[in-house]
Amino acid sequence: MKKFISIIASFLLLLVYLPTDSKASELVNYLKEVNVSVHLATSVTLTANGNYQLSNKDTAEITEIPQGTVLTVKKDSSNVNVTFNGTSLNSVTGFDLQEKISSSTSLVRVSNGITYRGSFFLKPNGSKVEIINILDMEDYLKGVVPSEMPASFHKEALKAQAISARSYAANTLMLTSTAASQVYRGYSGEDARTNAAIKETEGMLVKYNGKPIQTFFFSTSGGRTANVGDVWNSKQEHFPYLVSVDDPYESSPFSNWTESFPAETLLKSFGFTDLSAQIYDITLSKTGANGEVRGVTVKTSAGDKTVTGNESIIRNYFPLNNPQLYNKLQTNWFDIQLNGSASQNLSVQTSSGTSAIGDLKGQKVQTASGEVTLSDSKVSIQTANGVMTNEGTGNITSVTLNGKGWGHRVGMSQYGAKGFAERGWTAEQILTHYFQGTTVSK
C-alpha cells in the first residue's frame, strides 16, 4: 500500500512540473529562419489551410484558427484589426499567425493571389498592413529558385542558383519578394526540379576566407561580368570576389540589344523643362573596365546637363515601356549613336555663292596642311573675330543605344551558368568561377 501511495505521489509531483500550456511546444521551429515581406495593402485577406494559431503581440493572447478560416486584416488609426468567424481582435503592434506542428503541409493563401508555407507577422506599416512570411531557409528557397531561374535549365545551373540564393538570403536580415532582393513566389511558384536541386545542396553556402558572402546574380552579362566598383558605389578592395570574369558560354536573348529614344523622351528624362529644345550632343563617360557608363552629358539649346551615378541611376535615365525589363535600360554597358540633322543654318561659301549643307561630318575642307575630310560635326573655325566652335550635329532627333547584357552584371550570370552546366561544369565550379577566390561548403 505504501508503495502504491508513493507511486501516486511521484505521479502528482511530475504533473506539477509539466508545462501548464503546451501550445508553445506545438509550434513549428524553423532551424534557419528567414523573414520575407510579401504584401503591403490597406486590407488583406489570408486563408489558413492548415494548423495555425493567432497570437496578439500586445497581450500574448492565443486564439486557435480552424482549418479553412478566412482572416481579414486592416489597419485603423491606431490598431491592426483581424476579423474572422464573427470574432474581431485588435493589437497596436500586430499579430503572429503561427504554424503549428501537423502531419500535413500547412499553407496560407494571401489576397495577392499567392500561397505560402510557414508563419506570418501581420505588421502595422503606416496606414497599411504589411505581411511578413516567416519560414525555414530551405522552404523559402523552394519559392525563389524557379522564380529566379527557369526550372528547365540544366540541373547543375539550378544547383548553383540554389546555393547562390541561399548565400544571399543568409546575409540579408529582411528580404522582399521582388527583384529588389530575390523574386519569391512562395508555394505557388515551386517546381519539383528546383526542389530537388535545393535538397541536393541543402545548407551549402559560398564562402570567402571561410565566411559566407552575399552572392549577387543577374540574367545576362553580355560576355563578361562587371567589377562591383564599376557599377555600384562600392570600394572594389572590399569585395575581391566580385570582379569581372569572362562569360564565354552565355547564350541569351539579352546578350546584345538595341534601344531607340526620341529627343523629347530624353529631354524629359534628364530633367529639361523645355521639351522642344534642340539636343546638340550627347557624350558618355565610360569609366568601367569593360566600358560601363558612369556618366552622361547632354548639350542642348536650353543648357547642358551632366549626370553621374551607379548602374541603376544611369539605366533609369533611359526609360523603357517594358515591365519585363522593369521599365529601364537593360544595363549600363552600351554605346550611343546620335540620329538627326544639323542645324538648318549651316552653309558654305563657294565660287558660285552660298550653299546650304545638311551636316559638317564628311565635308572636305582645305587647311594649311592640305585637304581633309571632317570626321565629326563639331568643329572649330578661324574667323575674323577669333576661333568659333559649333555644338556638333545641331539637331539630334533621336538616339540609338547598342548594349550588352541584362541586369547589374555583378556576380553570377544565370544564362552563363546554364552554358557552363551544359558543358559539364558542376555547381561548385560555376560558383567559384563567378565569385573568384571563394569556396562552397556547408
Side-chain angles (χ1 to χ4, degrees), residues 17-172:
Y17 287 97
L18 282 175
T20 57
D21 185 356
S22 62
K23 286 190 173 104
S25 63
E26 297 174 2
L27 298 179
V28 174
N29 178 37
Y30 307 120
L31 297 178
K32 181 62 178 177
E33 180 183 298
V34 295
N35 294 260
V36 195
S37 178
V38 296
H39 196 41
L40 179 66
T42 54
S43 178
V44 181
T45 59
L46 302 95
T47 304
N49 294 303
N51 196 8
Y52 287 94
Q53 68 180 32
L54 191 68
S55 174
N56 188 317
K57 294 185 77 69
D58 289 350
T59 65
E61 180 182 357
I62 301 297
T63 305
E64 296 297 323
I65 303 299
Q67 171 81 16
T69 297
V70 177
L71 301 94
T72 300
V73 189
K74 295 182 179 180
K75 175 69 168 59
D76 61 23
S77 59
S78 58
N79 293 297
V80 173
N81 174 259
V82 179
T83 58
F84 58 95
N85 298 342
T87 299
S88 180
L89 302 173
N90 290 288
S91 173
V92 173
T93 53
F95 294 84
D96 285 320
L97 183 61
Q98 299 167 315
E99 181 186 8
K100 299 172 68 177
I101 294 173
S102 174
S103 58
S104 59
T105 302
S106 292
L107 302 168
V108 170
R109 183 171 178 82
V110 180
S111 49
N112 62 0
I114 299 177
T115 298
Y116 301 93
R117 298 174 182 265
S119 299
F120 302 83
F121 175 22
L122 315 182
K123 175 187 176 183
N125 187 333
S127 61
K128 298 180 179 181
V129 175
E130 183 177 8
I131 306 301
I132 296 175
N133 188 195
I134 304 165
L135 72 168
D136 187 71
M137 171 73 82
E138 303 305 308
D139 283 339
Y140 161 72
L141 294 175
K142 293 174 183 176
V144 169
V145 178
S147 302
E148 284 285 0
M149 176 179 282
S152 59
F153 275 21
H154 192 285
K155 191 171 189 178
E156 289 301 314
L158 297 178
K159 289 164 67 175
Q161 179 66 68
I163 298 169
S164 184
R166 184 182 294 109
S167 301
Y168 181 90
N171 282 276
T172 307

Side-chain angles (χ1 to χ4, degrees), residues 216 227-243 294 310 410:
F216 299 100
N227 291 318
V228 68
D230 288 339
V231 295
W232 292 336
N233 301 329
S234 304
K235 290 187 179 298
Q236 186 64 56
E237 59 268 26
H238 293 169
F239 302 95
Y241 45 85
L242 297 178
V243 294
R294 292 296 298 264
N310 63 24
V410 175

Side-chain angles (χ1 to χ4, degrees), residues 31 50 194 247 291 298 317 354 392 441:
L31 297 178
T194 48
D247 213 357
V298 182
Y317 275 100
T354 301
S441 65

